[in-house]
Amino acid sequence: MFEEMFKDEENASMDHRVRLACADESVFSALARYYSHVEECEPLCGMPVRLFYPQAEQGHECSVPMDAVSWRKTMLLSDVQAKSVSVEVLKEQDAICVYCTDSEKNFAACAEQLVALQEDRGNGYAEPAVLCFADADSAKAYLCGSGLWVPGQSQVVGATWDDVLPLVASTKGNLRWISGETLPWGDMPARNSAARSVQLIFRGSGELSMFDVMEKSEAIAGCFADGVNVLWQIEVHDKNEILVFVAQPMP
């Protein structure tokens, strides 16, 4: 059963605090359910900003210096918004989540400009991480549901940036387009021969077992071509559902 599995303390202690800049404040509310403290900050490039602290820091003062803690600095914005953000601000981010509102051609051009800013900061992956989404709904669902921006203990079986970024993030010469959907437990995603990587987040009550998850994961993998990387995670949740995120080459 899900409640019989626990995250180890070492992983929980490695949680990052999150600084999120995003024009849609509903994303803040969705992410806040995982945190005990949320702080409003000065806007960044006209976008509202919130700081999210893990449970262990409930009594933390809001005046903690930004350079004294480890932040996962993230921007969630459209391709059109990205044009108005300075290179300096973009390069300060740990992750840029950009979604398509323009033509596919212009979106690809935007993605090319963002990955051109990437550098090797010694973490084993290019930063800022650039995640390109087919639409705003996919981007918001990913930021709030993928587990990468929430405390590690929120998922029974989670994944780290080292696990996920090689599968879904865009880099120079390798632009990826991420689409997402939420499925009832009994449904299956549409077949997709273009997919290169799939990230599954299984949500459910304590009545679901690891066997249920592994069996369903194997069945979903059959919807994609042989050799596609499938990564799965588990989160205890009040609904039985599956978040499916598919990364494929950008059109």
Side-chain angles (χ1 to χ4, degrees), residues 204-223:
S205 67
E207 296 178 359
L208 292 172
S209 69
M210 182 67 80
F211 176 79
D212 295 326
V213 171
M214 295 180 69
E215 185 177 52
K216 188 67 175 182
S217 178
E218 184 176 350
I220 291 176
C223 296

Side-chain angles (χ1 to χ4, degrees), residues 16 18 31-38 52-55 149-151:
H16 287 72
V18 173
L31 197 59
R33 67 184 291 265
Y34 297 100
Y35 290 93
S36 60
H37 182 76
V38 181
F52 297 84
Y53 296 88
Q55 185 69 32
W149 285 272
V150 301

Side-chain angles (χ1 to χ4, degrees), residues 238-249:
D238 56 0
K239 294 182 179 179
N240 288 351
E241 60 185 16
I242 307 169
L243 306 184
V244 181
F245 297 101
V246 176
Q248 61 190 60

Side-chain angles (χ1 to χ4, degrees), residues 7-40:
K7 295 287 293 182
D8 61 73
E9 293 183 2
E10 180 180 358
N11 286 340
S13 68
M14 295 171 64
D15 283 331
H16 287 72
R17 304 155 188 86
V18 173
R19 187 192 76 180
L20 175 61
C22 173
D24 186 345
E25 297 198 27
S26 68
V27 177
F28 298 143
S29 300
L31 197 59
R33 67 184 291 265
Y34 297 100
Y35 290 93
S36 60
H37 182 76
V38 181
E39 176 187 347
E40 182 175 353

Side-chain angles (χ1 to χ4, degrees), residues 117-156:
L117 305 176
Q118 292 177 327
E119 300 175 352
D120 182 357
R121 300 178 187 172
N123 296 325
Y125 47 80
E127 291 189 318
V130 176
L131 294 98
C132 303
F133 295 90
D135 51 59
D137 288 343
S138 293
K140 296 171 188 176
Y142 192 84
L143 199 149
C144 298
S146 70
L148 298 184
W149 285 272
V150 301
Q153 63 268 32
S154 67
Q155 291 192 336
V156 178

